[in-house]
Amino acid sequence: MDGTQILTLGLGLEAPWVLKDQHLDTSVSPHRLDLYVEAERGSLYPCPECGKACPAHDFADKTWRHLNFFQHHCYLHARVPRTQCPEHGVKRIEVPWARPGSDFTLLFEQAAMSLVKEMPVLAVSRQLEISDKRLWRIVHHYVGRMLGDLDLSRVTTVGVDETASRRGHCYVTVFLDMQRKQEPVLFAVPGHGKDAIKAFRAFLADHGGDPDNVVEVVCDMSQAFLSGVAQHLPNAEVTVDWFHIVQTFTKALDEVRKKERREKGHPKALRWAVLKSLDNGNLTAKQIAALQELVADRGATADAWVIKEKLRWIQQAPTPRAARWRITNYLNVMREAVTGQALLKPMAKALTTLERHAEQVVRRWMSGLTNARLEGMNGLFQAARSRARGYRNEANFIAMIYLIGSPVGRMLDHTKSI
Ligand SMILES: [Zn+2]
């Protein structure tokens, strides 16, 4: 067996294609191996439309980057014919080793995609010695193709969350299948609120799903989401995720802390005795010690912290009825505590938000959906962000969310190559 035969086998070339010539150039850096593939003279080629064997009309020279040959870059060259079909006219044929329009062989792209699943795109582009821009183009092609094959016909329960794709500027809204533990991501779209829900409805319908089958949506308390759900997923009951309640109060607490630090005001402390009546002993000793220490400084931040911490008492309610009762009592006591306290205004706002969505919060006790799912999304967003680093825009960030968090990554493992 000579070198040409070995390379032909290695390339997996089949008739009519044969390796005609090879050239290893070690005078350039990096060294390169050029392989010249041709079809036997007089070969017939399948018409891309009907598959009928047709003669060539003319040829165009094309080049593809292939997997490295040892440490050398490898390029495949071929004269690609256009067929002359009696029915369909003159058409450029598809070669078996590359997809139309790509400058890379399928094997190269497959290698690139398996690396992209494991490490940041920028690192992969350095390793493969191609620009990250070209690598992203490959990523978008395969993610898009896999997305096209997604079957969403069984989706009934959806979680919605949003995240900033770049520091605070652009938002990406992500939809999850709440019934799928692995690879829960269904859809990710730039923007947020009502438009995102509308886009999800269209995506669902395009992938065999029925927006009317969505009976449950878990989301945060933003009015934009809620009105979007009401309009575009009309049969869905909304459950406000517990994670978002805690997030709302934590944000409010942070506002209070910043404001107090800025103004150095001296607000009246929250009455600890009042709060004490709610204490059912569920706090750990460490938490109680920290709480007491914080409350001892008698500042607004301490009061706000207590208000946030006492949410736990609601969370631990054993039944929907108990939850409803606890929310009412919590609101009564905390309202009294924040009344007339200028620095605690953010907490008063958070309390109003909880009050307005009390029934949607209570649904959490009835729907049986765990709240950990959306909270876990932060880890996914972090991972996607770091993988997409270096060439960051919404589309790249979203492609990474799909690769890491949806079935797309696994589907890629089963794609065929030459
Ligand atoms: Zn034809």
Side-chain angles (χ1 to χ4, degrees):
M1 192 183 276
D2 66 16
T4 303
Q5 282 173 309
I6 289 172
L7 285 168
T8 304
L9 275 176
L11 286 168
L13 289 178
E14 284 177 15
W17 300 100
V18 288
L19 183 62
K20 271 281 149 84
D21 201 5
Q22 47 180 300
H23 180 67
L24 182 64
D25 189 349
T26 52
S27 68
V28 292
S29 176
H31 300 174
R32 56 183 282 166
L33 173 67
D34 288 281
L35 301 172
Y36 297 88
V37 170
E38 273 183 33
E40 297 290 0
R41 192 176 289 271
S43 294
L44 297 177
Y45 307 86
C47 160
E49 296 284 328
C50 64
K52 183 178 177 334
C54 303
H57 176 261
D58 58 6
F59 294 88
D61 288 323
K62 295 211 174 248
T63 300
W64 299 265
R65 170 89 187 269
H66 190 46
L67 293 172
N68 281 6
F69 177 71
F70 295 98
Q71 71 274 37
H72 316 300
H73 283 193
C74 177
Y75 293 88
L76 207 60
H77 306 266
R79 300 184 70 211
V80 183
R82 289 194 297 172
T83 48
Q84 173 88 63
C85 173
E87 197 177 333
H88 299 100
V90 176
K91 298 266 173 194
R92 179 80 57 206
I93 71 152
E94 288 183 22
V95 292
W97 57 80
R99 61 185 173 88
S102 176
D103 297 329
F104 301 94
T105 62
L106 291 171
L107 274 178
F108 184 95
E109 291 185 337
Q110 196 183 42
M113 288 310 291
S114 47
L115 288 174
V116 163
K117 281 173 65 186
E118 307 299 331
M119 56 200 269
V121 167
L122 208 56
V124 176
S125 81
R126 285 194 197 113
Q127 181 162 335
L128 295 176
E129 298 177 276
I130 65 171
S131 74
D132 61 335
K133 212 171 162 180
R134 297 180 82 191
L135 182 53
W136 275 116
R137 219 176 291 146
I138 296 174
V139 170
H140 285 294
H141 170 80
Y142 283 98
V143 169
R145 200 168 96 189
M146 296 302 119
L147 280 179
D149 292 343
L150 274 186
D151 172 15
L152 304 186
S153 60
R154 296 222 294 265
V155 173
T156 56
T157 311
V158 174
V160 189
D161 205 1
E162 63 181 25
T163 185
S165 74
R166 273 180 288 188
R167 268 167 216 147
H169 291 305
C170 308
Y171 282 89
V172 167
T173 300
V174 180
F175 294 77
L176 307 181
D177 187 338
M178 295 299 277
Q179 267 149 352
R180 213 161 60 200
K181 279 206 176 68
Q182 303 293 321
E183 307 159 341
V185 171
L186 292 168
F187 179 57
V189 66
H192 58 161
K194 224 172 172 173
D195 291 343
I197 309 271
K198 188 180 175 187
F200 172 68
R201 183 193 165 92
F203 184 83
L204 190 59
D206 280 350
H207 291 80
D210 183 349
D212 289 344
N213 286 349
V214 177
V215 290
E216 179 127 36
V217 172
V218 184
C219 63
D220 68 19
M221 294 169 284
S222 80
Q223 209 43 54
F225 271 153
L226 296 175
S227 64
V229 170
Q231 189 178 337
H232 300 295
L233 301 168
N235 294 335
E237 291 273 8
V238 171
T239 298
V240 166
D241 198 77
W242 187 257
F243 166 64
H244 285 118
I245 302 284
V246 175
Q247 202 177 44
T248 300
F249 277 79
T250 306
K251 270 187 194 152
L253 164 61
D254 207 43
E255 271 178 59
V256 173
R257 186 182 58 77
K258 283 181 187 152
K259 226 158 97 184
E260 184 173 47
R261 208 177 45 190
R262 239 183 356 251
E263 294 179 12
K264 296 224 186 288
H266 300 283
K268 264 195 283 172
L270 185 69
R271 279 164 301 165
W272 177 237
V274 173
L275 290 166
K276 200 118 201 193
S277 68
L278 286 181
D279 194 355
N280 62 352
N282 274 324
L283 296 176
T284 66
K286 211 171 154 188
Q287 282 168 332
I288 290 170
L291 188 60
Q292 281 166 345
E293 195 186 313
L294 195 63
V295 170
D297 82 5
R298 309 185 70 79
T301 306
D303 293 347
W305 188 75
V306 170
I307 293 171
K308 192 214 104 182
E309 280 303 304
K310 288 291 174 186
L311 283 172
R312 232 181 275 272
W313 181 66
I314 302 172
Q315 190 193 7
Q316 286 157 350
T319 62
R321 211 179 119 111
R324 209 173 274 125
W325 185 85
R326 285 190 186 195
I327 289 174
T328 307
N329 280 275
Y330 171 89
L331 286 171
N332 285 342
V333 172
M334 296 307 177
R335 279 234 175 277
E336 203 179 317
V338 300
T339 302
Q341 309 263 5
L343 276 169
L344 287 176
K345 266 205 179 117
M347 301 314 283
K349 242 178 96 182
L351 291 171
T352 305
T353 306
L354 173 59
E355 186 171 29
R356 196 185 313 135
H357 299 289
E359 267 316 299
Q360 290 158 344
V361 173
V362 169
R363 273 196 55 79
R364 156 181 191 275
W365 273 264
M366 301 184 270
S367 71
L369 293 171
T370 65
N371 57 306
R373 201 66 55 79
L374 288 182
E375 200 170 359
M377 290 309 288
N378 274 326
L380 167 67
F381 296 151
Q382 291 294 347
R385 241 176 235 118
S386 74
R387 294 279 184 85
R389 142 184 83 99
Y391 188 83
R392 209 192 290 163
N393 59 38
E394 280 73 68
N396 293 348
F397 181 48
I398 285 172
M400 277 301 137
I401 291 176
Y402 282 130
L403 262 185
I404 300 172
S406 83
V408 159
R410 190 172 30 84
M411 287 157 79
L412 267 172
D413 296 338
H414 304 295
T415 51
K416 274 201 316 195
S417 66
I418 58 168

